[in-house]
Amino acid sequence: MAKRALITGITGQDGSYLAEFLLKKGYEVHGLVRRASTFNRGRIDHLFSDIYNPNLTIQIHYGDLGDTSSLSRVLEVSKPDEIYNLAAQSHVGISFDIPEYTGDVTGMGTVRLLEALRTGKSKARFYQASSSELFGKVTGDLQNENTPFHPRSPYACAKAFAFDFTRNYRESYGMFACNGILFNHESPRRGENFVTRKITLSLAKILAGKQEALHLGNFEAKRDWGYAPEFVEGMWMMLQQQEPDDYVLATGKTASVREFLEMCLTIASIPFERTGKGKEEKYMDTRTGKAIVMVDPHYYRPAEVDFLRGDPSKAKKKLGWEAKTSVQDLARIMMEADCKVEGVTLK
């Protein structure tokens, strides 16, 4: 009999790649989605090639991390062997605007799901999507599983809460529950308000003549950026181990927002020069003399995370997992995908 997996957040970047991965492994995949008046399933539509196929191995269930009864119902119906909790209010910047909602869904939502598992006496293995944002204001050069947390946003605080609850349920009730502390991982399916995707999509639209300029916040923030399809495989690997544990998934390398931007400008064959400083800094297209990238203080955060770089050595040693795609290749993958959508051919 095929294994069953339940993915919360299946319509997101990670959820869609994980669903693909598990289906190829022969899993029966169940996805939890919120009811909305408009569909938000573009990332998984291709998985439903024939909705009338009685052998279809993916099913969607309506539910919400804010509603305990719906979680219990979905667990009863799907009877999963593995649960991947990827659902969240996942945007750091937006979490400052809606901190209560972020705490309820991203933090308490995890508790509701864990408690539904416990009271329902489910033996399912549980994966909790943690985040490098937990580390926040770091002092060292590398962050690993033992690095203290110093969250710097409502999102990070909610993720820290969920991390501790997951570990507590593992230690208190013997649940097979793992935290995956994933550093930034991107792809053409990344949400359009995340900085890497914002850069690649905006540059593609500028090349297509559909947008004048790109507005960004902190150029100097440095992140450890990897490729999302590789990271979802690491999630799965965690739940295949004999004992549950927590793992960092990262590339071990960093690039700033500025460096990623300039990689993409080069891939797009846009010649540029920088003018001004601070809030007045701009990137000029030297062919047209127009400003195509500029600073917008609107995108500054009340508390910034300046630097993150993960140490994935534990995942490599115990799981056999390591990132393979460089940030340069990632930038090209994303630029090519967005340019294709906008009808632009890269040189």
Side-chain angles (χ1 to χ4, degrees):
M1 181 179 292
K3 279 189 176 182
R4 292 185 173 192
L6 172 64
I7 304 172
T8 72
I10 193 172
T11 59
Q13 170 190 249
D14 290 4
S16 65
Y17 282 122
L18 180 60
E20 285 180 351
F21 177 84
L22 294 176
L23 288 170
K24 289 176 182 177
K25 290 270 182 194
Y27 277 66
E28 179 180 311
V29 174
H30 296 258
L32 182 74
V33 299
R34 288 174 298 168
R35 166 70 176 87
S37 58
T38 57
F39 271 22
N40 180 29
R41 303 185 192 175
R43 297 182 180 97
I44 60 171
D45 277 344
H46 64 288
L47 300 178
F48 298 89
S49 57
D50 182 359
I51 62 172
Y52 300 107
N53 183 350
N55 298 316
L56 193 67
T57 55
I58 180 169
Q59 297 181 40
I60 296 299
H61 306 272
Y62 286 111
D64 196 298
L65 289 183
D67 178 21
T68 303
S69 63
S70 70
L71 298 178
S72 297
R73 175 181 53 78
V74 172
L75 287 174
E76 176 61 28
V77 171
S78 62
K79 294 180 171 56
D81 300 295
E82 298 171 5
I83 297 172
Y84 298 86
N85 185 31
L86 311 184
Q89 190 303 100
S90 60
H91 194 277
V92 175
I94 292 173
S95 75
F96 285 100
D97 297 325
I98 49 173
E100 183 178 344
Y101 176 79
T102 300
D104 184 53
V105 174
T106 307
M108 278 302 300
T110 303
V111 180
R112 294 184 186 104
L113 187 50
L114 285 166
E115 187 64 2
L117 277 170
R118 185 186 71 82
T119 57
K121 295 180 171 52
S122 172
K123 299 299 183 183
R125 296 187 169 198
F126 181 83
Y127 171 85
Q128 169 60 21
S130 293
S131 166
S132 60
E133 292 289 328
L134 293 170
F135 299 119
K137 190 176 182 179
V138 298
T139 55
D141 184 50
L142 279 171
Q143 296 85 54
N144 61 29
E145 294 80 4
N146 298 315
T147 302
F149 296 156
H150 189 148
R152 298 268 285 174
S153 67
Y155 167 78
C157 290
K159 281 293 187 183
F161 180 85
F163 178 98
D164 285 336
F165 257 92
T166 299
R167 184 167 57 185
N168 179 261
Y169 269 62
R170 179 172 73 217
E171 295 175 353
S172 299
Y173 305 115
M175 293 174 62
F176 195 109
C178 300
N179 284 292
I181 308 173
L182 273 57
F183 281 64
N184 291 62
H185 45 290
E186 319 296 311
S187 76
R189 298 183 192 173
R190 190 60 143 149
E192 295 177 11
N193 55 356
F194 288 85
V195 67
T196 52
R197 183 73 196 292
K198 183 178 178 180
I199 288 171
T200 60
L201 183 59
S202 294
L203 292 183
K205 288 181 178 293
I206 288 170
L207 289 173
K210 299 178 181 178
Q211 184 171 323
E212 291 294 323
L214 163 63
H215 297 258
L216 295 173
N218 183 5
F219 282 126
E220 308 309 331
K222 292 184 177 181
R223 294 291 186 272
D224 184 326
W225 275 315
Y227 187 36
E230 296 171 359
F231 280 59
V232 300
E233 183 174 2
M235 300 176 188
W236 173 79
M237 287 178 170
M238 292 179 204
L239 297 195
Q240 312 314 307
Q241 304 306 301
Q242 289 188 346
E243 299 293 333
D245 206 346
D246 305 323
Y247 298 89
V248 163
L249 298 187
T251 71
K253 300 178 181 179
T254 61
S256 66
V257 172
R258 182 188 302 283
E259 288 169 326
F260 188 86
L261 168 65
E262 293 184 359
M263 288 176 203
C264 293
L265 286 167
T266 300
I267 292 166
S269 299
I270 300 176
F272 63 87
E273 65 177 8
R274 290 159 50 183
T275 65
K277 293 182 179 180
K279 296 179 182 179
E280 304 303 319
E281 184 176 2
K282 298 178 182 178
Y283 278 75
M284 310 298 295
D285 184 336
T286 57
R287 297 171 303 183
T288 64
K290 293 182 179 180
I292 55 170
V293 185
M294 57 192 71
V295 175
D296 187 341
H298 171 75
Y299 296 110
Y300 289 166
R301 295 173 181 171
E304 183 59 82
V305 175
D306 299 315
F307 174 89
L308 291 172
R309 182 160 76 101
D311 175 6
S313 56
K314 179 179 175 180
K316 183 176 181 179
K317 180 180 179 180
K318 293 194 172 183
L319 304 179
W321 181 91
E322 61 181 327
K324 300 178 178 65
T325 303
S326 69
V327 67
Q328 292 86 355
D329 290 339
L330 175 63
R332 180 167 291 279
I333 289 168
M334 295 177 68
M335 277 301 308
E336 288 178 347
D338 279 327
C339 283
K340 183 178 181 181
V341 170
E342 296 301 327
V344 175
T345 301
L346 292 177
K347 297 179 181 178

